[in-house]
Amino acid sequence: MGVSSTTSDETKPRYRMDGRGLRAGAVLVAAMVAAAGGASGGEVTAGLTGRVSPQVALTTYPSDSAFREVFGSSSIDSALDARFLFRAEGDRWRFDVDYQLIGVYGDRLEFTRELPPELRILFPHLPDDRTRLFDLTYVFTDSGKSAALQRLDRLAVGFASDHAVVKFGRQAITWGNGLIYNVMDIFNPFDPAAVDKEFKTGDDMLYGQYLLSGGNDVQGVMVFRRDPITEDLEADQSSLAFKYHHMASASEYDALVSQHYGDPLLGGGMNFNVGGAVWRGDATVSFGEDETVASLVTSLSYSWIWGSKNVSGVAEYFYNGFGQSDGCYSPDCLAENPELLKRIARGELFNLGQHYLALSAMIELNPLFLLTPNAFVNVADPSALVQLVFQNDLRENLLLWSAIHLPIGSSGTEFGGAATEIPELFLSTGSSASIQLVWY
C-alpha cells in the first residue's frame, strides 16, 4: 500500500494497491504476525486457504430490447476469480488478509466501459475503491472485452478480550433479519438474485463489539469513505452505526441507531418461533433533508420433509420506501428520484419499485445435490424474476453452481424492461443462464 507521490489539489495522497503497495502489504502482514507473536507470548497460528472460481453467463435479448442493437440476440460473459485467504492468530490478536486476482472477458465489459456515469449506476463496470479509505484495487488492463485486476478485499487487525472485540481495516459485517431482502444490512448487502453469496465486499471500518450477560451484545461500526469527486474523507459520505442485540428465551430483538451518508437512520428487528416456523422482520426509518422514508422486510420460514426430501422454504415481503410509487422506471422518471439512484449506486438497493414478494424453497434432492427455485415478484407492476439454482457437490472441495433466470412481465415493467426515450424500445433482457465452478 504505497503512498501516491502526487500531492496536488486534484489528487490527494492515498494508499494504493500497485506493485509497490502489494510488497509493502506483505511486509506489513509479516510485521503484524510478528507483533502478534510478541503480544501473545510467541505462539501464533497462521494458515493460507482459498478458492478459485471460473464462471460463464449467457444472456438473451428480446426483439424490443435496446441491448439487442449492442449485443445482438445474446451476449456471453466470463470471469475467473481467485481468492487467497490468510489468517494469523495469537492469544488475543487476529489478522485477516483476502487477496483477489480477477480476470474478466465478455461483451458487457466492453459495453459498460462506454456508458455515461448516470447509466453506470444501473450497469456497473469493474470494482474500485474510489470512495473507500484505502485504494487497495489495481487494474492491470481494461480494454476491449477483457480486463484483469488485483485487490485486497480483507485487510484487518483485531483484538479480543473476554468481553470485547475491536477490529480495524477492510472487513465485512452483516446485520438484520432479512433472508432475501435486508433493510438493516446497510453495508454492501447481497443482490437478492445473486447465486454466489459466500463473500461480501469489504469496507474500511473500525468495528467493535461488547458482550453483555445473557447472550446480549452491543456492536458499533464507523465506516470511512471519501467524496467521489474530491477524494477527501467526508462525514456526509461515511457511516457511524450502533446495534443492540437482545436474546430472550424464544426470540431475539435488534435496535439500530446510525448516521448513514449524512442522514440519521433508526431501525428495529426481531425473530421468534411461530409453531414450527420462524417469523423475522426489520424496519428502518431514514431522516433525510427533504423527507422521512420508512422501509420494511418481514418473512416466514419453515422446514419440512416432502416425499422423503428435506425442504426449507421462505416467503418474504419487502417494502422499499425509496422505490418508484408510480411504476415508471424510464430514465426520466428515475432521474426524479435521486435518493433511490444514490442507494443503487452505493450498492444498498437493487430494486426500482416499492412492493415485493419473494418465494424460495431449497430442496435436497440428495445430500450432494440441491435445487432452489426462487421467485422475486414486483407485486405492483406486476412482473417477476423466476430463478432456478442448482448446487452440486462434485467431490471434496469442488462445487458446481448453475442457474437459470427467467424475467416475466410486459414491456415497461421492472422485470419486463424499463422504457427508454425511444418508443417501443426497452431496457429488457430475456432468459439467461450461468454456471460457476468453485474449487477450494
Side-chain angles (χ1 to χ4, degrees), residues 334-343:
L334 291 176
E336 297 177 0
N337 190 348
E339 294 302 316
L340 172 63
L341 295 181
K342 287 179 185 177
R343 285 158 177 81

Side-chain angles (χ1 to χ4, degrees), residues 17-216:
M17 183 62 179
D18 54 14
R20 294 171 302 166
L22 186 58
R23 290 191 295 271
V27 173
L28 177 61
V29 170
M32 292 191 301
V33 172
S40 61
E43 183 178 352
V44 176
T45 59
L48 180 66
T49 60
R51 71 170 213 174
V52 177
S53 178
Q55 54 189 294
V56 63
L58 169 68
T59 305
T60 63
Y61 304 96
S63 58
D64 61 354
S65 173
F67 300 120
R68 197 179 181 97
E69 299 185 4
V70 179
F71 302 120
S73 60
S74 63
S75 64
I76 297 178
D77 300 277
S78 58
L80 176 65
D81 182 358
R83 177 185 286 255
F84 302 95
L85 296 76
F86 174 78
R87 304 288 183 263
E89 294 184 68
D91 183 36
R92 297 288 189 178
W93 296 89
R94 175 186 171 105
F95 302 100
D96 299 289
V97 182
D98 284 19
Y99 170 81
Q100 283 184 282
L101 183 62
I102 302 173
V104 183
Y105 181 86
D107 298 319
R108 285 199 175 195
L109 181 71
E110 188 173 34
F111 167 69
T112 56
R113 186 185 300 112
E114 306 301 327
L115 286 179
E118 57 270 19
L119 284 181
R120 280 201 182 188
I121 293 175
L122 299 177
F123 306 99
H125 185 54
L126 292 174
D128 64 67
D129 295 332
R130 187 164 49 101
T131 61
R132 292 187 171 91
L133 176 62
F134 303 119
D135 186 354
L136 303 180
T137 297
Y138 179 74
V139 178
F140 297 109
T141 180
D142 180 17
S143 63
K145 293 185 178 183
S146 63
L149 60 100
Q150 65 176 352
R151 64 190 311 269
L152 292 179
D153 193 44
R154 301 287 189 274
L155 182 63
V157 54
F159 176 82
S161 67
D162 293 338
H163 296 283
V165 175
V166 178
K167 291 183 68 177
F168 175 73
R170 182 156 300 179
Q171 54 191 300
I173 62 167
T174 298
W175 285 350
N177 294 287
L179 297 179
I180 299 172
Y181 304 98
N182 205 329
V183 298
M184 280 181 59
D185 191 10
I186 57 178
F187 305 114
N188 300 327
F190 286 114
D191 183 337
V195 175
D196 183 0
K197 297 183 178 182
E198 186 171 0
F199 294 99
K200 291 184 70 173
T201 301
D203 264 331
D204 299 328
M205 68 179 75
L206 175 65
Y207 168 82
Q209 180 186 32
Y210 188 79
L211 304 178
L212 305 171
S213 61
N216 308 325

